[in-house]
Amino acid sequence: LAATAGAGSEAFKATWHPELNVHTTPWLVDYTLALQEAKTNNSYLLVDITAPYCSICSAIEQKLFTNNKVSEVLQQLVPVQIDSSNTAHVVHTQLLKKFDVFGVPTFLLIDPTTETVVKRWGGELYDTSAEAFIAELIPYTCK
């Protein structure tokens, strides 16, 4: 029994990464409030357009947005998560049209002063490492 416990402990150590799964990104859910906060803070807005049925959305969330280093970078932006399945929410529906969003996942980096998309990602973000994603975001953290 002791050997089994020791093997389990070693397996845990081999798979545990302190930079992962400690923090989660504190997403806002109201685009209008998030936009105002981004303008006030002179920060870019990161919009995560998702849906509860989207498995790749959940996978990206687990892979990137629970990573401590990614979370630290996102603290310099204003992250907002939009549920695209909530078609009763008029603002959400208007945003999907405004930003030409045809599916999920869609991630948009938006300049709040002009509300223009400066960067766009989709499902390919799942194949992006945390380090590569951070490198893409860093130029937009100091406006």
Side-chain angles (χ1 to χ4, degrees), residues 18-71:
E19 73 278 6
L20 299 176
N21 300 323
V22 177
H23 293 108
T24 57
T25 300
W27 296 97
L28 299 174
V29 294
D30 184 313
Y31 177 82
T32 305
L33 290 175
L35 180 63
Q36 186 56 49
E37 183 178 325
K39 286 178 180 178
T40 300
N41 295 338
N42 199 29
S43 302
Y44 282 87
L45 191 64
L46 180 68
V47 181
D48 173 4
I49 301 169
T50 187
Y53 56 80
C54 176
S55 60
I56 192 73
C57 299
S58 297
I60 291 169
E61 174 78 25
Q62 288 302 309
K63 182 178 178 186
L64 293 179
F65 298 121
T66 59
N67 180 290
N68 282 347
K69 293 176 184 177
V70 171
S71 291

Short mmCIF file of all heavy atoms in Angstrom, two decimals, residues 18-71:
data_model
loop_
_atom_site.label_atom_id
_atom_site.label_comp_id
_atom_site.label_asym_id
_atom_site.label_seq_id
_atom_site.Cartn_x
_atom_site.Cartn_y
_atom_site.Cartn_z
N PRO A 18 3.06 24.41 -11.11
CA PRO A 18 2.58 25.49 -10.25
C PRO A 18 2.03 26.68 -11.02
O PRO A 18 1.23 27.43 -10.50
CB PRO A 18 3.81 25.88 -9.42
CG PRO A 18 4.97 25.31 -10.14
CD PRO A 18 4.47 24.14 -10.92
N GLU A 19 2.42 26.85 -12.28
CA GLU A 19 1.93 27.99 -13.05
C GLU A 19 0.54 27.74 -13.64
O GLU A 19 -0.08 28.63 -14.19
CB GLU A 19 2.91 28.36 -14.17
CG GLU A 19 2.95 27.39 -15.33
CD GLU A 19 3.82 26.16 -15.13
OE1 GLU A 19 4.35 25.94 -14.03
OE2 GLU A 19 3.99 25.41 -16.10
N LEU A 20 0.05 26.51 -13.52
CA LEU A 20 -1.24 26.16 -14.10
C LEU A 20 -2.32 25.99 -13.03
O LEU A 20 -2.03 25.57 -11.91
CB LEU A 20 -1.14 24.86 -14.89
CG LEU A 20 -0.18 24.86 -16.07
CD1 LEU A 20 -0.11 23.47 -16.67
CD2 LEU A 20 -0.59 25.87 -17.10
N ASN A 21 -3.54 26.26 -13.41
CA ASN A 21 -4.73 25.91 -12.63
C ASN A 21 -4.75 26.48 -11.22
O ASN A 21 -5.32 25.87 -10.33
CB ASN A 21 -4.91 24.39 -12.58
CG ASN A 21 -5.06 23.82 -13.97
OD1 ASN A 21 -5.69 24.43 -14.83
ND2 ASN A 21 -4.48 22.67 -14.20
N VAL A 22 -4.13 27.60 -11.00
CA VAL A 22 -4.18 28.22 -9.69
C VAL A 22 -5.13 29.40 -9.72
O VAL A 22 -5.97 29.55 -8.86
CB VAL A 22 -2.77 28.64 -9.24
CG1 VAL A 22 -2.83 29.35 -7.91
CG2 VAL A 22 -1.86 27.42 -9.15
N HIS A 23 -5.01 30.23 -10.70
CA HIS A 23 -5.91 31.38 -10.85
C HIS A 23 -6.81 31.18 -12.06
O HIS A 23 -6.43 30.53 -13.01
CB HIS A 23 -5.11 32.67 -11.08
CG HIS A 23 -4.31 33.08 -9.90
ND1 HIS A 23 -2.95 32.97 -9.88
CD2 HIS A 23 -4.67 33.58 -8.71
CE1 HIS A 23 -2.50 33.41 -8.72
NE2 HIS A 23 -3.52 33.78 -7.99
N THR A 24 -7.95 31.76 -11.99
CA THR A 24 -8.77 31.83 -13.19
C THR A 24 -8.96 33.30 -13.51
O THR A 24 -8.91 34.15 -12.63
CB THR A 24 -10.14 31.15 -12.99
OG1 THR A 24 -10.80 31.76 -11.89
CG2 THR A 24 -10.00 29.66 -12.76
N THR A 25 -9.14 33.58 -14.76
CA THR A 25 -9.31 34.96 -15.20
C THR A 25 -10.66 35.47 -14.72
O THR A 25 -11.68 34.83 -14.92
CB THR A 25 -9.22 35.02 -16.73
OG1 THR A 25 -7.93 34.53 -17.11
CG2 THR A 25 -9.40 36.43 -17.23
N PRO A 26 -10.67 36.64 -14.07
CA PRO A 26 -11.95 37.21 -13.60
C PRO A 26 -12.66 37.93 -14.74
O PRO A 26 -12.45 39.12 -14.97
CB PRO A 26 -11.50 38.18 -12.50
CG PRO A 26 -10.13 38.60 -12.92
CD PRO A 26 -9.53 37.42 -13.66
N TRP A 27 -13.48 37.22 -15.45
CA TRP A 27 -14.18 37.78 -16.60
C TRP A 27 -15.35 38.65 -16.18
O TRP A 27 -16.15 38.27 -15.33
CB TRP A 27 -14.72 36.65 -17.49
CG TRP A 27 -13.65 35.80 -18.09
CD1 TRP A 27 -13.21 34.61 -17.61
CD2 TRP A 27 -12.90 36.06 -19.27
NE1 TRP A 27 -12.22 34.11 -18.43
CE2 TRP A 27 -12.01 34.98 -19.45
CE3 TRP A 27 -12.89 37.10 -20.19
CZ2 TRP A 27 -11.12 34.91 -20.51
CZ3 TRP A 27 -12.01 37.04 -21.25
CH2 TRP A 27 -11.13 35.95 -21.41
N LEU A 28 -15.47 39.81 -16.80
CA LEU A 28 -16.68 40.59 -16.69
C LEU A 28 -17.69 39.98 -17.65
O LEU A 28 -17.30 39.25 -18.57
CB LEU A 28 -16.40 42.05 -17.06
CG LEU A 28 -15.37 42.78 -16.18
CD1 LEU A 28 -15.08 44.15 -16.74
CD2 LEU A 28 -15.86 42.86 -14.75
N VAL A 29 -18.96 40.27 -17.50
CA VAL A 29 -19.97 39.70 -18.39
C VAL A 29 -20.82 40.76 -19.08
O VAL A 29 -21.69 40.43 -19.86
CB VAL A 29 -20.88 38.68 -17.65
CG1 VAL A 29 -20.07 37.46 -17.22
CG2 VAL A 29 -21.57 39.31 -16.47
N ASP A 30 -20.56 42.02 -18.78
CA ASP A 30 -21.32 43.11 -19.37
C ASP A 30 -20.38 43.91 -20.28
O ASP A 30 -19.47 44.60 -19.79
CB ASP A 30 -21.91 43.99 -18.28
CG ASP A 30 -22.79 45.10 -18.81
OD1 ASP A 30 -22.37 45.80 -19.76
OD2 ASP A 30 -23.89 45.29 -18.27
N TYR A 31 -20.58 43.81 -21.58
CA TYR A 31 -19.69 44.48 -22.53
C TYR A 31 -19.67 45.99 -22.32
O TYR A 31 -18.61 46.61 -22.35
CB TYR A 31 -20.11 44.15 -23.97
CG TYR A 31 -19.25 44.87 -24.99
CD1 TYR A 31 -18.01 44.37 -25.35
CD2 TYR A 31 -19.68 46.07 -25.57
CE1 TYR A 31 -17.20 45.03 -26.26
CE2 TYR A 31 -18.88 46.73 -26.50
CZ TYR A 31 -17.64 46.21 -26.84
OH TYR A 31 -16.85 46.87 -27.73
N THR A 32 -20.82 46.59 -22.10
CA THR A 32 -20.90 48.05 -21.95
C THR A 32 -20.08 48.51 -20.75
O THR A 32 -19.31 49.48 -20.85
CB THR A 32 -22.37 48.50 -21.82
OG1 THR A 32 -23.10 47.99 -22.95
CG2 THR A 32 -22.50 50.00 -21.79
N LEU A 33 -20.22 47.82 -19.63
CA LEU A 33 -19.43 48.17 -18.44
C LEU A 33 -17.94 47.90 -18.66
O LEU A 33 -17.09 48.69 -18.23
CB LEU A 33 -19.93 47.40 -17.22
CG LEU A 33 -21.30 47.81 -16.69
CD1 LEU A 33 -21.72 46.89 -15.54
CD2 LEU A 33 -21.32 49.26 -16.26
N ALA A 34 -17.63 46.80 -19.32
CA ALA A 34 -16.23 46.46 -19.60
C ALA A 34 -15.60 47.51 -20.52
O ALA A 34 -14.46 47.92 -20.31
CB ALA A 34 -16.13 45.08 -20.22
N LEU A 35 -16.35 47.95 -21.52
CA LEU A 35 -15.85 48.97 -22.43
C LEU A 35 -15.57 50.26 -21.67
O LEU A 35 -14.53 50.90 -21.87
CB LEU A 35 -16.87 49.21 -23.56
CG LEU A 35 -16.49 50.27 -24.59
CD1 LEU A 35 -15.22 49.87 -25.35
CD2 LEU A 35 -17.64 50.48 -25.55
N GLN A 36 -16.47 50.63 -20.79
CA GLN A 36 -16.27 51.85 -19.99
C GLN A 36 -15.04 51.72 -19.10
O GLN A 36 -14.24 52.64 -18.99
CB GLN A 36 -17.51 52.16 -19.14
CG GLN A 36 -17.41 53.47 -18.41
CD GLN A 36 -17.15 54.65 -19.34
OE1 GLN A 36 -17.82 54.81 -20.35
NE2 GLN A 36 -16.17 55.47 -19.02
N GLU A 37 -14.87 50.55 -18.49
CA GLU A 37 -13.70 50.31 -17.64
C GLU A 37 -12.41 50.39 -18.47
O GLU A 37 -11.41 50.97 -18.03
CB GLU A 37 -13.79 48.96 -16.95
CG GLU A 37 -12.64 48.70 -16.00
CD GLU A 37 -12.74 47.38 -15.26
OE1 GLU A 37 -13.85 46.98 -14.91
OE2 GLU A 37 -11.68 46.77 -15.02
N ALA A 38 -12.43 49.82 -19.67
CA ALA A 38 -11.26 49.86 -20.54
C ALA A 38 -10.92 51.30 -20.92
O ALA A 38 -9.74 51.68 -20.93
CB ALA A 38 -11.50 49.01 -21.78
N LYS A 39 -11.93 52.09 -21.21
CA LYS A 39 -11.69 53.50 -21.54
C LYS A 39 -11.12 54.24 -20.33
O LYS A 39 -10.16 55.00 -20.47
CB LYS A 39 -12.99 54.16 -22.00
CG LYS A 39 -13.42 53.75 -23.38
CD LYS A 39 -14.75 54.41 -23.76
CE LYS A 39 -15.19 54.00 -25.15
NZ LYS A 39 -16.49 54.59 -25.51
N THR A 40 -11.70 54.01 -19.17
CA THR A 40 -11.24 54.66 -17.95
C THR A 40 -9.80 54.30 -17.62
O THR A 40 -9.00 55.14 -17.24
CB THR A 40 -12.16 54.28 -16.76
OG1 THR A 40 -13.49 54.71 -17.07
CG2 THR A 40 -11.70 54.94 -15.47
N ASN A 41 -9.47 53.01 -17.78
CA ASN A 41 -8.14 52.52 -17.44
C ASN A 41 -7.14 52.64 -18.59
O ASN A 41 -5.98 52.26 -18.43
CB ASN A 41 -8.21 51.06 -17.00
CG ASN A 41 -8.99 50.88 -15.74
OD1 ASN A 41 -9.16 51.80 -14.95
ND2 ASN A 41 -9.49 49.67 -15.52
N ASN A 42 -7.62 53.11 -19.74
CA ASN A 42 -6.78 53.19 -20.93
C ASN A 42 -6.16 51.83 -21.24
O ASN A 42 -4.95 51.72 -21.47
CB ASN A 42 -5.72 54.28 -20.77
CG ASN A 42 -5.16 54.71 -22.11
OD1 ASN A 42 -5.84 54.65 -23.13
ND2 ASN A 42 -3.92 55.14 -22.11
N SER A 43 -7.00 50.79 -21.21
CA SER A 43 -6.57 49.41 -21.45
C SER A 43 -7.34 48.83 -22.62
O SER A 43 -8.45 49.24 -22.91
CB SER A 43 -6.89 48.55 -20.22
OG SER A 43 -6.27 49.04 -19.08
N TYR A 44 -6.73 47.85 -23.25
CA TYR A 44 -7.43 47.12 -24.31
C TYR A 44 -8.45 46.18 -23.68
O TYR A 44 -8.34 45.79 -22.52
CB TYR A 44 -6.45 46.33 -25.17
CG TYR A 44 -5.73 47.19 -26.16
CD1 TYR A 44 -4.55 47.85 -25.80
CD2 TYR A 44 -6.21 47.36 -27.45
CE1 TYR A 44 -3.88 48.65 -26.71
CE2 TYR A 44 -5.55 48.16 -28.37
CZ TYR A 44 -4.38 48.81 -27.99
OH TYR A 44 -3.74 49.60 -28.88
N LEU A 45 -9.42 45.82 -24.46
CA LEU A 45 -10.51 44.95 -24.05
C LEU A 45 -10.30 43.59 -24.71
O LEU A 45 -10.10 43.52 -25.93
CB LEU A 45 -11.81 45.58 -24.54
CG LEU A 45 -13.14 45.09 -24.08
CD1 LEU A 45 -13.31 45.30 -22.59
CD2 LEU A 45 -14.23 45.87 -24.80
N LEU A 46 -10.29 42.52 -23.92
CA LEU A 46 -10.23 41.17 -24.48
C LEU A 46 -11.62 40.57 -24.37
O LEU A 46 -12.13 40.39 -23.26
CB LEU A 46 -9.22 40.29 -23.76
CG LEU A 46 -9.14 38.86 -24.32
CD1 LEU A 46 -8.55 38.85 -25.73
CD2 LEU A 46 -8.35 37.96 -23.39
N VAL A 47 -12.25 40.30 -25.50
CA VAL A 47 -13.60 39.77 -25.53
C VAL A 47 -13.54 38.29 -25.89
O VAL A 47 -13.00 37.92 -26.93
CB VAL A 47 -14.48 40.54 -26.56
CG1 VAL A 47 -15.90 39.99 -26.56
CG2 VAL A 47 -14.47 42.04 -26.27
N ASP A 48 -14.08 37.47 -25.01
CA ASP A 48 -14.18 36.03 -25.22
C ASP A 48 -15.64 35.75 -25.57
O ASP A 48 -16.52 35.87 -24.72
CB ASP A 48 -13.77 35.30 -23.95
CG ASP A 48 -14.00 33.79 -23.99
OD1 ASP A 48 -14.40 33.27 -25.05
OD2 ASP A 48 -13.77 33.14 -22.96
N ILE A 49 -15.89 35.40 -26.82
CA ILE A 49 -17.25 35.07 -27.25
C ILE A 49 -17.35 33.55 -27.24
O ILE A 49 -16.63 32.86 -27.96
CB ILE A 49 -17.56 35.67 -28.62
CG1 ILE A 49 -17.39 37.19 -28.52
CG2 ILE A 49 -18.97 35.29 -29.06
CD1 ILE A 49 -17.41 37.93 -29.82
N THR A 50 -18.21 33.06 -26.38
CA THR A 50 -18.27 31.64 -26.07
C THR A 50 -19.72 31.16 -26.04
O THR A 50 -20.62 31.94 -26.32
CB THR A 50 -17.57 31.40 -24.69
OG1 THR A 50 -17.49 30.01 -24.44
CG2 THR A 50 -18.28 32.10 -23.56
N ALA A 51 -19.90 29.91 -25.71
CA ALA A 51 -21.24 29.34 -25.53
C ALA A 51 -21.10 28.14 -24.60
O ALA A 51 -20.07 27.46 -24.61
CB ALA A 51 -21.83 28.91 -26.87
N PRO A 52 -22.12 27.87 -23.80
CA PRO A 52 -22.02 26.76 -22.85
C PRO A 52 -21.84 25.39 -23.51
O PRO A 52 -21.27 24.49 -22.92
CB PRO A 52 -23.33 26.80 -22.08
CG PRO A 52 -24.12 27.93 -22.60
CD PRO A 52 -23.36 28.60 -23.69
N TYR A 53 -22.28 25.23 -24.74
CA TYR A 53 -22.17 23.95 -25.43
C TYR A 53 -20.83 23.77 -26.16
O TYR A 53 -20.57 22.73 -26.74
CB TYR A 53 -23.30 23.81 -26.45
CG TYR A 53 -23.35 24.95 -27.45
CD1 TYR A 53 -22.50 25.00 -28.55
CD2 TYR A 53 -24.25 26.00 -27.27
CE1 TYR A 53 -22.53 26.06 -29.44
CE2 TYR A 53 -24.29 27.06 -28.17
CZ TYR A 53 -23.43 27.08 -29.24
OH TYR A 53 -23.45 28.13 -30.12
N CYS A 54 -19.98 24.77 -26.13
CA CYS A 54 -18.73 24.77 -26.90
C CYS A 54 -17.61 24.08 -26.13
O CYS A 54 -17.04 24.65 -25.20
CB CYS A 54 -18.35 26.21 -27.25
SG CYS A 54 -16.77 26.34 -28.11
N SER A 55 -17.27 22.86 -26.54
CA SER A 55 -16.23 22.11 -25.84
C SER A 55 -14.84 22.71 -26.06
O SER A 55 -14.01 22.70 -25.15
CB SER A 55 -16.25 20.64 -26.25
OG SER A 55 -16.03 20.51 -27.64
N ILE A 56 -14.58 23.24 -27.24
CA ILE A 56 -13.26 23.84 -27.49
C ILE A 56 -13.11 25.12 -26.67
O ILE A 56 -12.01 25.45 -26.21
CB ILE A 56 -12.98 24.07 -29.00
CG1 ILE A 56 -11.50 24.43 -29.25
CG2 ILE A 56 -13.85 25.15 -29.58
CD1 ILE A 56 -10.57 23.29 -29.11
N CYS A 57 -14.21 25.83 -26.44
CA CYS A 57 -14.18 27.02 -25.58
C CYS A 57 -13.73 26.63 -24.17
O CYS A 57 -12.85 27.27 -23.59
CB CYS A 57 -15.56 27.68 -25.50
SG CYS A 57 -16.21 28.26 -27.08
N SER A 58 -14.32 25.56 -23.64
CA SER A 58 -13.95 25.07 -22.31
C SER A 58 -12.51 24.60 -22.28
O SER A 58 -11.80 24.84 -21.30
CB SER A 58 -14.87 23.92 -21.90
OG SER A 58 -16.19 24.36 -21.81
N ALA A 59 -12.08 23.96 -23.33
CA ALA A 59 -10.69 23.46 -23.38
C ALA A 59 -9.70 24.62 -23.39
O ALA A 59 -8.67 24.57 -22.72
CB ALA A 59 -10.51 22.58 -24.62
N ILE A 60 -10.00 25.67 -24.14
CA ILE A 60 -9.13 26.86 -24.17
C ILE A 60 -9.12 27.52 -22.80
O ILE A 60 -8.08 27.94 -22.31
CB ILE A 60 -9.57 27.84 -25.28
CG1 ILE A 60 -9.29 27.22 -26.65
CG2 ILE A 60 -8.87 29.19 -25.13
CD1 ILE A 60 -9.91 27.97 -27.82
N GLU A 61 -10.28 27.61 -22.18
CA GLU A 61 -10.39 28.19 -20.83
C GLU A 61 -9.46 27.44 -19.88
O GLU A 61 -8.68 28.05 -19.15
CB GLU A 61 -11.83 28.11 -20.34
CG GLU A 61 -12.03 28.53 -18.91
CD GLU A 61 -12.04 30.04 -18.70
OE1 GLU A 61 -12.36 30.79 -19.64
OE2 GLU A 61 -11.72 30.46 -17.58
N GLN A 62 -9.53 26.11 -19.89
CA GLN A 62 -8.70 25.30 -19.00
C GLN A 62 -7.21 25.38 -19.35
O GLN A 62 -6.37 25.38 -18.45
CB GLN A 62 -9.16 23.84 -19.01
CG GLN A 62 -10.47 23.62 -18.32
CD GLN A 62 -10.44 24.09 -16.87
OE1 GLN A 62 -9.54 23.74 -16.10
NE2 GLN A 62 -11.40 24.91 -16.50
N LYS A 63 -6.91 25.44 -20.62
CA LYS A 63 -5.51 25.44 -21.05
C LYS A 63 -4.84 26.79 -20.83
O LYS A 63 -3.72 26.86 -20.34
CB LYS A 63 -5.41 25.06 -22.52
CG LYS A 63 -3.98 25.00 -23.01
CD LYS A 63 -3.89 24.58 -24.44
CE LYS A 63 -2.43 24.60 -24.88
NZ LYS A 63 -2.28 24.34 -26.29
N LEU A 64 -5.50 27.87 -21.19
CA LEU A 64 -4.86 29.19 -21.15
C LEU A 64 -5.30 30.07 -20.00
O LEU A 64 -4.48 30.69 -19.34
CB LEU A 64 -5.10 29.93 -22.47
CG LEU A 64 -4.43 29.35 -23.70
CD1 LEU A 64 -4.78 30.17 -24.93
CD2 LEU A 64 -2.92 29.28 -23.52
N PHE A 65 -6.59 30.15 -19.77
CA PHE A 65 -7.09 31.18 -18.86
C PHE A 65 -7.03 30.79 -17.39
O PHE A 65 -7.39 31.58 -16.52
CB PHE A 65 -8.48 31.63 -19.28
CG PHE A 65 -8.47 32.26 -20.65
CD1 PHE A 65 -9.24 31.74 -21.67
CD2 PHE A 65 -7.66 33.34 -20.93
CE1 PHE A 65 -9.22 32.30 -22.94
CE2 PHE A 65 -7.62 33.91 -22.18
CZ PHE A 65 -8.41 33.40 -23.20
N THR A 66 -6.56 29.58 -17.09
CA THR A 66 -6.28 29.21 -15.71
C THR A 66 -4.78 29.24 -15.44
O THR A 66 -4.34 28.93 -14.34
CB THR A 66 -6.83 27.81 -15.38
OG1 THR A 66 -6.25 26.87 -16.25
CG2 THR A 66 -8.35 27.77 -15.48
N ASN A 67 -4.01 29.63 -16.43
CA ASN A 67 -2.56 29.72 -16.30
C ASN A 67 -2.21 31.01 -15.57
O ASN A 67 -2.65 32.10 -15.95
CB ASN A 67 -1.93 29.69 -17.70
CG ASN A 67 -0.43 29.78 -17.66
OD1 ASN A 67 0.13 30.81 -17.32
ND2 ASN A 67 0.23 28.70 -18.03
N ASN A 68 -1.42 30.91 -14.51
CA ASN A 68 -1.06 32.09 -13.72
C ASN A 68 -0.43 33.20 -14.55
O ASN A 68 -0.75 34.37 -14.36
CB ASN A 68 -0.07 31.71 -12.61
CG ASN A 68 -0.74 31.05 -11.44
OD1 ASN A 68 -1.97 31.07 -11.31
ND2 ASN A 68 0.05 30.45 -10.58
N LYS A 69 0.46 32.84 -15.44
CA LYS A 69 1.16 33.86 -16.23
C LYS A 69 0.20 34.56 -17.18
O LYS A 69 0.27 35.78 -17.37
CB LYS A 69 2.33 33.24 -16.98
CG LYS A 69 3.43 32.77 -16.05
CD LYS A 69 4.55 32.06 -16.78
CE LYS A 69 5.57 31.53 -15.80
NZ LYS A 69 6.63 30.78 -16.46
N VAL A 70 -0.72 33.82 -17.78
CA VAL A 70 -1.73 34.42 -18.65
C VAL A 70 -2.64 35.33 -17.82
O VAL A 70 -2.93 36.46 -18.21
CB VAL A 70 -2.56 33.34 -19.40
CG1 VAL A 70 -3.74 33.97 -20.13
CG2 VAL A 70 -1.68 32.57 -20.38
N SER A 71 -3.05 34.85 -16.64
CA SER A 71 -3.91 35.66 -15.77
C SER A 71 -3.24 36.97 -15.38
O SER A 71 -3.89 38.01 -15.33
CB SER A 71 -4.29 34.88 -14.51
OG SER A 71 -5.15 33.82 -14.83
#
